[in-house]
Amino acid sequence: MPSRVPVSAAATFYDEDDTKLYAIAGYRALTLKSNARGGSYIYSGQGFRDQYGTFPDDKLGIAYQQWWHTPYLGIGGSYAFDDWSVSAEVIGSPFSIGYDKDHHNLRSLVFKEDFGTTGMYGANASFEYRFSPLLSAVGRLEYQRYMEAYGSTKIYSGATGTVTTLPAPSGGGSADTLLLSVGIKARM
């Protein structure tokens, strides 16, 4: 389940009739969470990938969380004609920083990874069609990608209390999100 915290500012550099173009600068924080139940595994115990098996379907195996922090720049535009209005934006950054934490509940382990800097890009498009002065149909498509990044890993054992640190590139992460929404908007 993603959650976002965007902060941005825009400056219009073209405004003619029903067309606008603008520059965007901002910051976004994205959190992604997921839980895994059941499934199979392959681990390296005494040798390389020498342990395998299946987790019970009714047990929480891994609770995973990823965080991404990104300052970004972009460009956007909007156009209105008749009862239609459309807009789109493209953003990007070479300075996205991510980290994660995953709880391996059945093994009493917590993995924490700090990723190095990586790139991010995203785009969105939206439309609105006015049926009447009070009622419109609306839609939005939004995509963002955080490219693969690598970093160090710390492994915390709940069974022994030990902490093991593995140097980069022992951990890695990336993220892709796609959101499609449609609805009806009423004005009062």
Side-chain angles (χ1 to χ4, degrees):
M1 175 78 77
S3 65
R4 294 177 296 164
V5 179
V7 176
S8 66
T12 301
F13 60 86
Y14 179 83
D15 190 350
E16 185 74 30
D17 296 322
D18 293 326
T19 304
K20 288 184 182 180
L21 295 175
Y22 49 92
I24 307 164
Y27 169 83
R28 72 175 41 189
L30 174 71
T31 301
L32 301 166
K33 297 178 186 180
S34 62
N35 291 326
R37 296 179 186 280
S40 58
Y41 63 87
I42 299 174
Y43 291 125
S44 297
Q46 301 301 317
F48 182 70
R49 296 182 174 240
D50 60 341
Q51 297 176 0
Y52 57 91
T54 304
F55 292 122
D57 289 337
D58 63 337
K59 300 281 187 195
L60 177 62
I62 300 172
Y64 185 74
Q65 193 165 4
Q66 234 181 42
W67 297 269
W68 296 94
H69 296 276
T70 310
Y72 63 87
L73 297 174
I75 189 167
S78 64
Y79 180 66
F81 56 98
D82 296 329
D83 291 325
W84 287 91
S85 62
V86 294
S87 65
E89 295 177 345
V90 176
I91 62 170
S93 175
F95 303 113
S96 187
I97 297 172
Y99 53 101
D100 74 0
K101 182 193 314 184
D102 44 316
H103 295 262
H104 290 241
N105 296 315
L106 300 176
R107 298 191 302 149
S108 297
L109 295 173
V110 174
F111 292 76
K112 290 184 178 181
E113 297 165 327
D114 291 316
F115 310 136
T117 303
T118 190
M120 179 280 277
Y121 61 87
N124 68 64
S126 59
F127 78 89
E128 180 175 345
Y129 177 75
R130 280 186 301 280
F131 296 112
S132 72
L134 300 177
L135 192 63
S136 297
V138 294
R140 182 173 174 88
L141 178 66
E142 184 176 328
Y143 174 76
Q144 60 187 347
R145 179 160 199 229
Y146 295 83
M147 291 175 252
E148 196 161 10
Y150 300 97
S152 61
T153 303
K154 285 190 177 182
I155 305 169
Y156 300 85
S157 173
T160 64
T162 60
V163 178
T164 304
T165 301
L166 304 174
S170 58
S174 64
D176 290 270
T177 64
L178 177 66
L179 174 68
L180 172 64
S181 59
V182 293
I184 300 293
K185 180 166 77 172
R187 294 173 190 80
M188 299 295 178

